[in-house]
Amino acid sequence: GEEVAQTPKHLVRGEGQKAKLYCAPIKGHSYVFWYQQVLKNEFKFLISFQNENVFDETGMPKERFSAKCLPNSPCSLEIQATKLEDSAVYFCASSPRASNYGYTFGSGTRLTVV
Amino acid sequence: AQTVTQSQPEMSVQEAETVTLSCTYDTSENNYYLFWYKQPPSRQMILVIRQEAYKQQNATENRFSVNFQKAAKSFSLKISDSQLGDTAMYFCAHLGGNNQGGKLIFGQGTELSVKP
């Protein structure tokens, strides 16, 4: 399809529980990016993939966050043992091979940790 | 490291008037790309306009245009004939040109309100 599909739209987790978010990039797009947006503030880069390979993971809090992009499956972002500060909207974006035209964003998953 | 700064947290404009949103950035690269994204209350990120650093001509998309000053590292967005539907958060972003598939670096955002 021509949209980046993120599921679920909303997710509520108790502190300490696991959260798993999914992203289906646009077909044919080689790059996938995850960003975290707290409130309406700036976007924090988490991780990017080139196909199923990690491209840049400099933004990932490695102790609790992990991500995968496997062939023929949606990409996923998993947070183990969620904390209150993980409450945010998590955006996925994808771009084609020639990535300098900007990225197409999904509509985000709002994670609320209570 | 690249940084992007938007110094106006909030702006407002009357419908049909013109407003300019400011953005400055810092980079050591000569070839890069700059973007303005719009995020309405629906939170969907929408690409408004794109500028290639090696092009001197300012990009234009209908009512949206930029003033790109490469030496000053400034990239402002002008919205002409503002409409109520332009009410949104606006984010300026930088993409390095030397690394295909590199990450977008965003500014802090400017919340624009268009008043009837």
Side-chain angles (χ1 to χ4, degrees):
Chain A
E2 289 301 310
E3 66 172 22
V4 177
Q6 287 191 249
T7 55
K9 291 196 183 306
H10 303 280
L11 189 59
V12 179
R13 286 289 178 266
E15 212 173 355
Q17 290 186 319
K18 183 175 75 175
K20 195 164 185 179
L21 292 60
Y22 297 91
C23 168
I26 291 174
K27 191 176 180 181
H29 281 198
S30 304
Y31 294 92
V32 171
F33 303 81
W34 285 98
Y35 285 84
Q36 178 194 56
Q37 185 184 31
V38 177
L39 299 175
K40 287 193 284 188
N41 290 342
E42 62 193 288
F43 288 77
K44 179 190 172 188
F45 169 77
L46 296 175
I47 190 169
S48 62
F49 289 83
Q50 182 181 14
N51 298 311
E52 62 266 26
N53 303 308
V54 174
F55 191 76
D56 181 346
E57 57 181 347
T58 51
M60 282 287 268
K62 294 211 174 76
E63 60 276 9
R64 295 183 299 108
F65 284 60
S66 62
K68 293 179 190 177
C69 277
L70 300 175
N72 303 313
S73 297
C75 297
S76 63
L77 176 69
E78 189 168 307
I79 309 172
Q80 302 285 345
T82 52
K83 298 183 178 181
L84 296 177
E85 69 231 36
D86 298 332
S87 293
V89 180
Y90 291 82
F91 284 93
C92 174
S94 71
S95 70
R97 194 175 300 274
S99 61
N100 298 331
Y101 285 83
Y103 306 150
T104 303
F105 282 82
S107 56
T109 293
R110 180 178 295 282
L111 172 65
T112 303
V113 181
V114 297
Chain B
Q2 293 96 347
T3 58
V4 178
T5 302
Q6 293 177 249
S7 58
Q8 305 155 313
E10 297 176 355
M11 294 277 286
S12 66
V13 63
Q14 289 296 130
E15 197 175 5
E17 293 189 348
T18 296
V19 63
T20 299
L21 308 184
S22 301
C23 173
T24 58
Y25 59 94
D26 191 20
T27 181
S28 57
E29 295 181 333
N30 194 46
N31 183 29
Y32 50 88
Y33 304 82
L34 297 164
F35 305 86
W36 278 97
Y37 278 89
K38 171 184 176 181
Q39 187 180 39
S42 67
R43 82 180 182 222
Q44 181 68 49
M45 288 289 281
I46 302 165
L47 177 63
V48 175
I49 202 163
R50 168 185 177 271
Q51 175 79 43
E52 299 169 24
Y54 59 87
K55 287 189 177 178
Q56 292 188 336
Q57 187 173 7
N58 289 325
T60 300
E61 286 289 340
N62 302 314
R63 297 183 296 107
F64 298 87
S65 61
V66 299
N67 183 6
F68 174 48
Q69 302 289 328
K70 190 172 184 179
K73 295 182 179 174
S74 169
F75 182 60
S76 60
L77 175 70
K78 185 171 88 171
I79 306 174
S80 304
D81 186 25
S82 298
Q83 300 175 1
L84 297 178
D86 295 335
T87 293
M89 286 289 291
Y90 286 82
F91 290 92
C92 177
H94 170 281
L95 174 64
N98 295 331
N99 187 12
Q100 285 270 345
K103 58 183 179 277
L104 281 170
I105 305 296
F106 287 91
Q108 303 90 329
T110 296
E111 186 167 13
L112 176 67
S113 297
V114 179
K115 301 187 184 306

